[in-house]
Amino acid sequence: MPKVLVEKRDRIAFITFNRPEVKNCIDPEMQDLLVEVWTDFRDDDAVDVAILTGAGDAFCAGADLKTYIPPWLGTDALRVRDNLATGLGGLTRGLHRIYKPTIAAVNGWALAGGLETALACDIRIASERAMFGSFEARRGYHHGDGGLVRLVNTCGAGVALEMLLTAEPIDAERALHMNLVSRVVPHERLMEEAERVARQILRNDQLAVRSAKETILDVIGRPLDEQLRTEALNAYACADTEETMRLLQRFYDKTDAGRAGTHKTEL
């Protein structure tokens, strides 16, 4: 059985970590597969959104402590430098600039590199059974594939310091209160909810969606004037005139998908 499962249907790529016997931890082979999978998602015009989840009772427990971590201990500086081009699981660094939206459907434990991968996704939806943690300090190291940066950017320095310095887990409800996830749903509804969110994204113009994602990534950490300039440049240059006018006409005709109010329409 492949260590990463991929199913494509209706413009969605369903990607599943598939090493349930070891909580879906990432070994070197799985790492290479994930890079291939995310590269294919980026380049495949038939899919516009990805939903990432895990097989079994875990989302992903991070790097395999037996096969992935030991070769990095004491490694030479040049190898470390070369590694900067590709983060753990592909999506955390290097392929993080895929502008197609990504959704993490966190079905269980998201630990270490699994937490980093969830944070690298644009939207995180958690099962009520989900647990999040960064246990690296217990093992003698800390996040190196975006976990520190994204946890600070998403939840703030206080949350990041508590999680990383204590190396204690948090449950789904606390993750929701900390803005680590956008919603928590009953476990049996997790994939249904993730797909519903994907459908909401897919009803929109994908040029606008991808430009919005690119703009958000570009303005993080920038001074206000740079943020405003980047937003204006991208927003006023992202529209395809013919397609935008077609979508506006649907609004004028009150037929656009997912419309609310008196002229409500189905998604």
Side-chain angles (χ1 to χ4, degrees):
M1 182 71 79
K3 294 180 179 180
V4 182
L5 302 178
V6 180
E7 178 189 359
K8 299 177 182 178
R9 53 182 165 85
D10 301 330
R11 297 170 61 196
I12 302 174
F14 296 85
I15 301 169
T16 305
F17 296 116
N18 192 39
R19 298 186 73 209
E21 70 281 3
V22 288
K23 307 299 184 187
N24 297 318
C25 66
I26 299 171
D27 65 5
E29 179 186 358
M30 190 176 182
Q31 164 72 9
D32 292 342
L33 285 172
L34 286 164
V35 171
E36 291 176 12
V37 165
W38 288 116
T39 301
D40 176 73
F41 168 67
R42 180 194 65 192
D43 298 339
D44 187 351
D45 292 337
V47 288
D48 293 304
V49 180
I51 297 175
L52 176 65
T53 194
D57 62 358
F59 177 74
C60 176
D64 190 309
L65 299 184
K66 294 181 179 179
T67 62
Y68 192 94
I69 296 298
W72 285 103
L73 300 179
T75 192
D76 64 89
L78 184 58
R79 186 178 178 222
V80 171
R81 187 185 181 100
D82 289 342
N83 181 57
L84 297 181
T86 307
L88 181 71
L91 194 63
T92 59
R93 188 175 57 253
L95 289 169
H96 68 286
R97 281 285 180 171
I98 296 173
Y99 297 129
K100 296 178 181 180
T102 55
I103 300 169
V106 184
N107 56 302
W109 282 99
L111 293 174
L115 174 61
E116 289 180 307
T117 302
L119 284 165
C121 292
D122 303 316
I123 298 170
R124 287 165 295 285
I125 301 171
S127 156
E128 60 195 350
R129 302 179 190 175
M131 296 288 291
F132 302 84
S134 174
F135 294 174
E136 286 93 331
R138 301 187 190 185
R139 322 296 180 211
Y141 52 97
H142 61 70
H143 282 306
D145 293 292
L148 291 169
V149 173
R150 291 190 175 97
L151 199 55
V152 170
N153 287 343
T154 303
C155 302
V159 168
L161 285 165
E162 179 182 344
M163 287 187 67
L164 298 174
L165 303 188
T166 66
E168 288 291 332
I170 62 170
D171 62 17
E173 284 301 326
R174 185 156 187 232
L176 179 64
H177 294 152
M178 297 186 331
N179 204 39
L180 181 57
V181 301
S182 60
R183 65 197 72 185
V184 177
V185 299
H187 184 75
E188 62 275 8
R189 287 191 49 238
L190 176 62
M191 294 306 294
E192 173 190 338
E193 182 69 8
E195 189 166 348
R196 187 182 71 84
V197 172
R199 298 288 170 211
Q200 291 174 330
I201 294 170
L202 289 171
R203 72 178 165 182
N204 301 323
D205 176 71
Q206 296 307 297
L207 282 176
V209 166
R210 295 177 195 181
S211 179
K213 177 175 176 177
E214 179 182 7
T215 302
I216 291 168
L217 292 178
D218 283 348
V219 302
I220 293 172
R222 302 281 186 176
L224 177 60
D225 285 356
E226 288 186 34
Q227 292 179 326
L228 294 171
R229 179 179 174 82
T230 299
E231 179 187 12
L233 284 171
N234 289 358
Y236 283 90
C238 78
D240 176 276
T241 301
E242 183 176 337
E243 176 65 7
T244 298
M245 286 306 303
R246 186 184 71 81
L247 295 171
L248 284 172
Q249 189 61 50
R250 290 169 60 183
F251 172 77
Y252 304 149
D253 296 338
K254 300 180 174 60
T255 60
D256 42 321
R259 187 182 186 90
T262 305
H263 302 281
K264 183 178 180 179
T265 58
E266 295 300 318
L267 181 61

